[in-house]
Amino acid sequence: MLYKILDQRDYEVFLKNLIADYELIGPKKKDGGVHDFTRIKDFSEIDTDYKRTILPPAKKILFPSVEKLIDYKVGDKIEFKPAIESSEKILFGVSAWDINGMNFMDKVFTTDYVDENYISKRRKLIVIGMDASPSETNFSMSMGSEYAKEGFDLYITKIKSGYFIKVATAPGNQILGKYSGAEDATVESFKEYDKYMDSYKKKFKLLPDIKSFYYDFEMIYEKEDFWKQIAKDCYSCGSCNLVCPTCFCFNVKDEIELNLKEGTRTREWNSCMMPEYGLVAGGHNFRPGKENRLQQRYRCKLKTFYDKFGAYSCVGCGRCIEACLAKINIAEDMNSVKKQLISN
Ligand code: SF4
Ligand code: SF4
């Protein structure tokens, strides 16, 4: 890792150059005050002062909500052509918790099976992270996701005297060298950075206790009444899955032309919170009740992938809490597990 520093003027020059030469996706304030990651055409459009975006930026790019997988022709023999679309992009201004969400997706789409549609986009994505302020529903500090150790090319922290930059990869070093006059970080800038990190950590106010959660969860798992209680208001709408940076389930659909000779296969986001998800041929549903589905979702986030990858697959971004009309709150529910066990 290299450490560099940019002053305000150089920071602007750097970004203007990147916007001119690359497809740069960055945070922009939309109508109604909501921020979204979108193509930036002018430096003035960038607004890094955001607390949350409705959709996670990396998931939008690497695993789009609808994606063509193959074109095929049906004749004497079946011919098919993979539809793998990718182009070089810069994802700028992405928070630590969303980088950690993307790191989880990287593992999902490259472990056991390498998903070419995902990985071809990921290979061409230059990631420039930047510290963001957590929203009131963000509990990434409890999940260990408030800080990104990997998954970025450059990571920018605004400090008093300018921009402190961690350079993690050769492409990151190359664009910084080519498009800016970045200088080596000084002892003074390291001190400023450490001071900033102390104040940054104090911004996280929602701190569910997850110290013994891995074991507590197993003890609560079979308690049906607990799951019925926390899922009682769920509408089974699936919004919590759609906004989650680490939800990766998808459905595959074939659409064949009326001539019955050619067609396309696409995938689109799916949701384990919807009743159809557990429905199989013959009409049996493995998760008929909303409590069964919420139990499964929490297991996936807080147990299954801990066993597989050694880390929770929830990064604590808080998006599912914001998106839920029934006010189902994963952070509160994590605390409820502990309370329930203590009261029993
Ligand atoms: S489960 Fe909720 S808080 Fe956790 S990563 Fe997904 S959207 Fe964010
Ligand atoms: S928990 Fe909330 S967002 Fe998720 S399916 Fe139920 S009502 Fe919808």
Side-chain angles (χ1 to χ4, degrees):
M1 191 88 72
L2 299 172
Y3 300 92
K4 300 279 180 177
I5 186 99
L6 280 178
D7 63 21
Q8 181 66 35
R9 200 193 131 272
D10 235 355
Y11 167 78
E12 290 186 21
V13 169
F14 176 52
L15 279 170
K16 283 175 183 167
N17 284 332
L18 293 183
I19 293 164
D21 278 13
Y22 286 87
E23 182 181 346
L24 186 137
I25 315 289
K28 181 176 170 177
K29 201 182 213 170
K30 297 283 196 118
D31 294 343
V34 183
H35 282 79
D36 188 25
F37 275 76
T38 187
R39 173 86 191 260
I40 300 290
K41 301 251 175 75
D42 189 88
F43 176 76
S44 63
E45 293 170 13
I46 296 176
D47 184 0
T48 53
D49 191 18
Y50 71 93
K51 289 198 167 177
R52 64 173 163 265
T53 56
I54 293 173
L55 289 177
K59 179 169 161 178
K60 264 175 71 176
I61 297 170
L62 302 170
F63 174 50
S65 56
V66 180
E67 181 172 26
K68 187 157 79 168
L69 298 178
I70 52 172
D71 291 301
Y72 58 82
K73 285 189 181 151
V74 185
D76 293 338
K77 57 178 186 172
I78 297 172
E79 289 170 35
F80 63 89
K81 198 166 98 203
I84 297 174
E85 286 172 15
S86 64
S87 59
E88 195 164 44
K89 289 185 179 62
I90 292 180
L91 177 57
F92 168 78
V94 61
S95 65
W97 45 90
D98 279 340
I99 290 176
N100 284 311
M102 179 187 68
N103 291 343
F104 172 78
M105 290 294 222
D106 287 355
K107 288 196 186 103
V108 166
F109 284 108
T110 58
T111 307
D112 303 331
Y113 170 76
V114 177
D115 186 294
E116 284 300 328
N117 290 73
Y118 180 93
I119 203 68
S120 60
K121 293 184 192 61
R122 180 66 184 94
R123 282 197 189 109
K124 290 190 180 167
L125 189 67
I126 296 174
V127 178
I128 305 181
M130 194 164 195
D131 287 318
S133 290
S135 69
E136 57 286 4
T137 56
N138 184 306
F139 56 99
S140 54
M141 184 89 170
S142 287
M143 309 312 289
S145 297
E146 84 288 0
Y147 183 83
K149 293 192 191 107
E150 58 186 0
F152 56 86
D153 296 278
L154 299 172
Y155 196 95
I156 303 177
T157 299
K158 172 92 179 78
I159 56 172
K160 236 164 128 192
S161 59
Y163 295 83
F164 185 88
I165 305 183
K166 287 181 214 153
V167 184
T169 65
N173 198 25
Q174 202 185 353
I175 55 167
L176 193 65
K178 183 172 175 190
Y179 294 115
S180 82
E183 293 183 355
D184 289 342
T186 58
V187 174
E188 201 47 49
S189 61
F190 272 103
K191 280 187 192 155
E192 273 188 49
Y193 174 77
D194 288 345
K195 214 167 153 190
Y196 168 83
M197 285 313 280
D198 289 342
S199 64
Y200 171 72
K201 285 177 188 157
K202 288 186 189 135
K203 291 181 183 174
F204 295 84
K205 304 291 183 210
L206 185 59
L207 298 162
D209 177 9
I210 64 152
K211 272 199 280 307
S212 59
F213 191 82
Y214 181 84
Y215 301 100
D216 295 347
F217 187 82
E218 214 47 78
M219 289 169 79
I220 208 84
Y221 191 67
E222 300 295 338
K223 297 199 185 301
E224 211 181 323
D225 288 350
F226 173 78
W227 295 105
K228 279 196 168 144
Q229 173 59 26
I230 63 168
K232 69 180 184 342
D233 296 326
C234 175
Y235 301 115
S236 304
C237 67
S239 301
C240 46
N241 295 117
L242 304 185
V243 299
C244 179
T246 63
C247 274
F248 58 87
C249 286
F250 59 84
N251 214 351
V252 174
K253 264 180 27 187
D254 273 351
E255 280 171 20
I256 190 149
E257 298 294 330
L258 287 175
N259 63 15
L260 300 182
K261 290 199 170 127
E262 53 200 23
T264 56
R265 177 168 292 179
T266 54
R267 69 175 167 197
E268 54 188 40
W269 292 352
N270 201 354
S271 161
C272 62
M273 293 299 282
M274 293 170 84
E276 301 76 24
Y277 189 89
L279 191 64
V280 293
H284 179 70
N285 196 324
F286 285 97
R287 296 187 199 106
K290 50 193 181 182
E291 66 279 9
N292 310 126
R293 297 191 286 275
L294 190 64
Q295 181 194 37
Q296 143 66 23
R297 177 163 177 264
Y298 283 2
R299 184 170 189 98
C300 180
K301 296 286 159 211
L302 305 166
K303 189 83 184 163
T304 308
F305 283 96
Y306 198 96
D307 291 336
K308 196 168 169 76
F309 296 143
Y312 295 115
S313 71
C314 169
V315 293
C317 71
R319 284 188 179 91
C320 58
I321 303 172
E322 298 290 336
C324 181
L325 292 176
K327 302 205 177 312
I328 291 171
N329 183 319
I330 187 171
E332 275 175 15
D333 291 340
M334 287 160 85
N335 281 333
S336 307
V337 167
K338 176 77 76 193
K339 279 190 207 138
Q340 177 80 12
L341 289 174
I342 292 169
S343 71
N344 278 347

